[in-house]
Amino acid sequence: MIYGHKMKSKVEEITSRLNDLADERNKLGLLGVNVKAKTGSKGKNVQTSLIDKSTVLGREADADSLIAKLLEDEDLNRKVSVMSIVGLGGIGKTTLAKILYNDEKVMAHFELRVWVCVSDEFSVFNISNAIFQAVDGHNQDFASLDLLHVALKEKVANKRFLVVLDDIWNEDHSQWELLKSPFLVGSTGSKIIVTTRKNKVALVMDSAQPHMLKGLSDEIALSLFAYNALNEDNFDEYPSLKVIAKGIIKKCDGLPLALIALGRVLKIKGTNIDEWEELLNSEIWDIEDGGGILPALKLSYYDLPLHLKQLFAYCSFFFQKTTYSTRIN
Ligand SMILES: Nc1ncnc2c1ncn2[C@@H]1O[C@H](COP(=O)(O)OP(=O)(O)OP(=O)(O)O)[C@@H](O)[C@H]1O
Ligand SMILES: [Mg+2]
């Protein structure tokens, strides 16, 4: 009997806890969220074409060689050619594409430039629609993909255009064939730049020679780390921290996203050498991620205060949308 009483109060306690959780869920507006669809998301950020070039370190050689290719009118038989930038998450593909897109010579060379952030969903209709709206400057409702493509074809006909498709994951060649069909009437020298983490995507999209983007050199990585951790260009004033910083950047493999994230973690902690050593010696570095970015990001995630951790988790519920921007010369 006593046992039954205890059981009852335990059940009441659990029920009340569940009610509290339900209240919290309502307050956060999590009702009606299609969790299944969203966990399929690759959890990346939407980016526009704008860039502050003064914050980008290194990459001059990559930019120069790609700009030279962009300005070539090489293949007279093929009016539109595809160039791709391939590399790990956070290595700087989008950043490099922004540098190309906003380069003065590139801007002067192309009559029409459009930037589309594609990310998760490769919807031919949505991407084509985003490009049409960017070129046309107005929203139009198209009843079918065919009508949309006819209108888009007219807009790009005989123009030398540059389209950036940022963050592509599509491996279906037929979808790509469909997307590019209105662009085949462009003027010779028109280019499509694709950024992707996957080499296979570049091949599916007929990219002649993928540009494999490597990590930053140690020297540039150290500067980027110093800038984010100390607001300095280098470690000249902090010789003992420099030794630890060198160890940390080695583990970051030249990935700017990792260097920035960890630099910011240490900026908050200040110049206390123990804190820096703790980060360098954390066992999270040992997580296997096939050469990806996970351990470095986990370290910066673990350092967030609890309420920001929750906010971070909450953000993963949001869909990404195809976005665009354009400039017409
Ligand atoms: N050369 C650089 N100098 C300074 N910061 C950089 C550099 N390259 C990239 N970054 C910064 O690193 C972060 C990641 O870069 P970016 O978004 O270009 O990577 P990505 O390769 O496109 O990643 P993803 O595969 O997730 O799309 C951004 O905050 C960007 O500003
Ligand atoms: Mg990117």
Side-chain angles (χ1 to χ4, degrees), residues 221-235:
L222 202 61
S223 300
L224 185 61
F225 194 60
Y227 179 74
N228 283 282
L230 304 167
N231 240 347
E232 302 276 355
D233 292 338
N234 53 54
F235 281 88

Side-chain angles (χ1 to χ4, degrees), residues 234-265:
N234 53 54
F235 281 88
D236 291 355
E237 306 280 311
Y238 304 89
S240 46
L241 292 183
K242 186 173 182 175
V243 181
I244 305 169
K246 280 189 168 171
I248 295 174
I249 68 155
K250 206 174 176 131
K251 296 190 175 196
C252 288
D253 257 343
L255 283 168
L257 184 60
L259 293 159
I260 293 171
L262 293 183
R264 287 181 185 163
V265 166

Side-chain angles (χ1 to χ4, degrees), residues 37-56:
K38 285 166 201 211
T39 46
S41 151
K42 294 168 196 86
K44 290 166 282 95
N45 56 335
V46 174
Q47 299 218 27
T48 72
S49 67
L50 303 183
I51 187 162
D52 174 3
K53 265 171 82 175
S54 66
T55 61
V56 180

Side-chain angles (χ1 to χ4, degrees), residues 207-228:
S207 164
Q209 277 174 328
H211 185 88
M212 307 304 290
L213 195 60
K214 304 264 170 0
L216 299 174
S217 68
D218 284 358
E219 194 190 341
I220 300 283
L222 202 61
S223 300
L224 185 61
F225 194 60
Y227 179 74
N228 283 282

Side-chain angles (χ1 to χ4, degrees), residues 59-71:
R59 300 300 188 212
E60 291 84 2
D62 294 283
D64 287 351
S65 81
L66 288 172
I67 289 169
K69 282 190 189 159
L70 277 176
L71 301 181

